[in-house]
Amino acid sequence: MGTVLTIVIIVVVVLAAAALLFMYQRRRSGELQQRFGSEYEHTVEESGDRRSAERELRGRERRVSRLEISPLSRGSAAAYEAEWADIRQSFVDHPASAVAEADRLVLRMMRESGYPVDDFDQRVNDISVDHPEVAAHYRDAHRVAVADSRGEAGTEDLRQAVTAYGQLVDALLHDSADHHSRPTNAEEQA
C-alpha cells in the first residue's frame, strides 16, 4: 500500500507542476499579446510558430532595455514637429519627395532618441517594443518608400505612406511631450 500511495503522490505532484507550468506559459503569452497587440500576430505569422515568435518578442524587449533610448529634447521636438508640418504640406505638390523626406525625418528622430538605425528590420523591431501599434505602419511606409525609389508607387500609396510615417513621428513626439510634462525631481521637492 505504501508504494501505491507514493506513486499516486508523485503523479499528483507531476500533474500539478505541469498545470502550473501551463498556466505560467499562458499568462506570459497573454502578457506578450497584450503588450504587442497586432505586432504579436505579425511576429507569429512571420516565424510560423507561437513559441518562436514569443522568444523573438522577449529578445526584442531585452535588446531595447539595454539601449539608451531617451525622449527628444523640447527644442528638437519642436524643430521636428515644424519639419513634419512642412513635409505634410509639401505632399500636395511633391508626393514622392515628401515620402523620402518623411523617411529621412523618422530616421533622424530615431537616431537622436537612441535607436540604432543601421538596419531597417532591426529598427522596426526595436520601435515595436515601445510603440507596437506603429510598427506595421512603419513597415508599410518604408515599403512604399522603397517601391517609390524604383518608380513603382502610385499617389495613393504615397499618401498612405506619409500618413503611416506620421504615426511614428507622432509617437516619438508624444514620448518627448510626456517626458517634458512630468515634473523634475527638483520640482517635486519644491
Side-chain angles (χ1 to χ4, degrees), residues 10 25 27 29 31-32 47 51 54 77 79 85 94-95 115 121 132 138-139 144-145 152 160 166-167 172 178:
I10 291 172
Q25 289 174 334
R27 184 176 60 82
S29 291
E31 289 170 355
L32 285 170
S47 71
R51 282 186 176 205
E54 290 180 0
H94 307 287
Y115 290 98
D121 290 329
Y138 186 30
R139 274 188 204 93
V144 171
E152 300 171 356
Q160 289 176 359
Q167 292 185 15
L172 293 170
D178 279 354

Side-chain angles (χ1 to χ4, degrees), residues 79-136:
Y80 286 131
E81 192 168 15
E83 187 174 347
W84 177 238
D86 290 344
I87 290 170
R88 285 192 323 247
Q89 183 69 32
S90 74
F91 178 81
V92 174
D93 295 323
H94 307 287
S97 64
V99 169
E101 288 175 33
D103 191 57
R104 287 189 296 271
L105 174 69
V106 163
L107 199 63
R108 289 194 333 270
M109 291 175 78
M110 289 181 72
R111 181 179 291 123
E112 187 173 331
S113 294
Y115 290 98
V117 296
D118 296 333
D119 176 66
F120 174 76
D121 290 329
Q122 189 61 60
R123 268 196 320 266
V124 78
N125 287 347
D126 290 346
I127 201 72
S128 76
V129 173
D130 294 325
H131 300 287
E133 70 284 358
V134 300

Side-chain angles (χ1 to χ4, degrees), residues 8-127:
V8 168
I9 290 172
I10 291 172
V11 168
V12 167
V13 168
V14 167
L15 289 174
L20 287 173
L21 179 63
F22 177 76
M23 289 187 325
Y24 172 75
Q25 289 174 334
R26 294 268 317 223
R27 184 176 60 82
R28 287 283 291 153
S29 291
E31 289 170 355
L32 285 170
Q33 283 177 311
Q34 185 172 1
R35 174 177 166 92
F36 283 95
S38 62
E39 184 64 13
Y40 177 93
E41 301 304 326
H42 170 80
T43 308
V44 169
E45 187 177 306
E46 286 287 309
S47 71
D49 106 47
R50 184 182 55 78
R51 282 186 176 205
S52 296
E54 290 180 0
R55 253 191 320 275
E56 161 69 21
L57 293 171
R58 285 191 296 274
R60 290 181 195 182
E61 289 175 326
R62 281 189 301 277
R63 174 184 158 74
V64 169
S65 74
R66 292 189 301 263
L67 298 175
E68 292 183 30
I69 307 296
S70 59
L72 300 167
S73 69
R74 280 189 174 136
S76 288
Y80 286 131
E81 192 168 15
E83 187 174 347
W84 177 238
D86 290 344
I87 290 170
R88 285 192 323 247
Q89 183 69 32
S90 74
F91 178 81
V92 174
D93 295 323
H94 307 287
S97 64
V99 169
E101 288 175 33
D103 191 57
R104 287 189 296 271
L105 174 69
V106 163
L107 199 63
R108 289 194 333 270
M109 291 175 78
M110 289 181 72
R111 181 179 291 123
E112 187 173 331
S113 294
Y115 290 98
V117 296
D118 296 333
D119 176 66
F120 174 76
D121 290 329
Q122 189 61 60
R123 268 196 320 266
V124 78
N125 287 347
D126 290 346
I127 201 72

